[in-house]
């Protein structure tokens, strides 16, 4: 089974366009595992015998931990662009978080802060390495931003845990953001 293609399809279904797959996310982004399996088993011939074990294998293989299964439900942990904002429980973040971005975007962020853009939340990383990987999708030598997340949280900015490496925020004001110098060599 092509687990990469399956994972991408599940991402699309649970993060971006559940209605295309005749799925309805609840207010926290959960759907019934059986509903997801039923709809995906009709997508491709190779998925006709799809099982919960296949979904668990995708989760196990992923270094980014995009999904979680609890009981008979599954959801994407972050990266949503569905129109209705999913409910998340605010949590105290680590003292510092990181965000990788392009040089062009940094010029805007300096005055506007970090905005979710076409996502529901701003995505932040708990380590520089992940921020660099994300930033390289936008710029071959990205700017790495350091977010004073604990300080922002204490002033009322809400943060949410995505997974072990990813944190989310509704918005991060520019006053809590600094760029840091990274050597790529």
């Amino acid at each position: 089974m092509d687990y990469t293609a399956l994972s991408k399809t599940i991402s699309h279904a649970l993060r971006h366009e559940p209605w295309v797959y005749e799925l309805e996310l609840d207010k926290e982004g959960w759907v019934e595992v059986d509903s997801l399996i039923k709809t995906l088993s009709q997508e491709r011939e190779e998925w006709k015998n799809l099982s919960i074990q296949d979904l668990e294998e995708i989760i196990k293989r992923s270094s980014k931990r995009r999904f979680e299964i609890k009981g008979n439900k599954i959801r994407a942990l972050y990266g949503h662009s569905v129109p209705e904002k999913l409910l998340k429980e605010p949590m105290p973040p680590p003292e510092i978080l990181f965000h990788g971005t392009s040089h062009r975007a940094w010029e805007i962020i300096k005055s506007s802060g970090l905005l979710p853009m076409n996502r529901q939340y701003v995505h932040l990383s708990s380590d520089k390495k992940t921020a660099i990987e994300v930033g390289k999708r936008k710029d071959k030598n990205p700017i790495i931003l350091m977010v004073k997340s604990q300080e922002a949280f204490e002033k009322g900015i809400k943060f949410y845990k995505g997974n072990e490496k990813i944190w989310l925020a509704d918005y991060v004001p520019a006053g809590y953001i600094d760029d840091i110098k990274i050597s790529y060599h």
Side-chain angles (χ1 to χ4, degrees):
M1 177 167 307
D2 182 350
Y3 284 117
T4 300
L6 181 58
S7 180
K8 287 180 179 181
T9 302
I10 293 171
S11 284
H12 187 249
L14 298 182
R15 295 163 79 182
H16 307 298
E17 293 184 304
W19 54 88
V20 169
Y21 304 88
E22 298 181 11
L23 297 170
E24 191 170 326
L25 305 181
D26 73 10
K27 63 184 179 179
E28 295 177 334
W30 294 102
V31 299
E32 298 285 331
V33 169
D34 291 343
S35 297
L36 180 65
I37 288 173
K38 181 180 176 189
T39 193
L40 293 179
S41 66
Q42 297 168 8
E43 283 286 311
R44 290 190 184 183
E45 179 66 25
E46 70 177 296
W47 297 344
K48 71 179 179 182
N49 296 317
L50 188 65
S51 69
I52 191 167
Q53 288 78 20
D54 293 314
L55 302 181
E56 289 168 342
E57 184 65 23
I58 286 171
I59 292 169
K60 188 173 97 177
R61 288 180 180 211
S62 174
S63 62
K64 296 183 180 179
R65 196 165 164 255
R66 290 186 172 104
F67 315 109
E68 73 176 329
I69 295 174
K70 282 192 182 168
N72 64 344
K73 293 188 174 189
I74 184 169
R75 71 175 172 182
L77 291 168
Y78 58 91
H80 298 88
S81 65
V82 291
E84 191 169 316
K85 195 161 188 174
L86 301 177
L87 298 179
K88 299 224 174 252
E89 190 66 35
M91 300 180 75
E95 184 177 347
I96 300 294
L97 291 168
F98 301 93
H99 181 82
T101 194
S102 68
H103 286 78
R104 195 177 89 221
W106 174 226
E107 294 306 314
I108 298 164
I109 293 167
K110 283 182 202 179
S111 58
S112 301
L114 284 167
L115 302 167
M117 307 308 282
N118 62 346
R119 299 273 176 103
Q120 291 194 357
Y121 297 96
V122 173
H123 287 65
L124 304 162
S125 306
S126 60
D127 63 274
K128 288 181 204 169
K129 182 179 182 249
T130 302
I132 291 169
E133 288 174 20
V134 171
K136 283 188 174 185
R137 292 186 212 147
K138 303 167 189 168
D139 192 316
K140 67 179 182 175
N141 293 306
I143 300 282
I144 304 306
L145 307 179
M146 182 179 74
V147 174
K148 297 175 262 188
S149 44
Q150 185 62 48
E151 184 181 327
F153 181 77
E154 289 170 4
K155 299 291 186 194
I157 303 300
K158 292 180 179 153
F159 290 85
Y160 316 90
K161 190 170 187 177
N163 65 22
E164 292 78 20
K165 291 184 178 183
I166 304 298
W167 280 79
L168 309 170
D170 296 311
Y171 162 71
V172 179
Y176 299 105
I177 304 168
D178 293 314
D179 63 325
I180 58 176
K181 306 301 177 217
I182 299 287
S183 172
Y184 297 100
H185 305 291

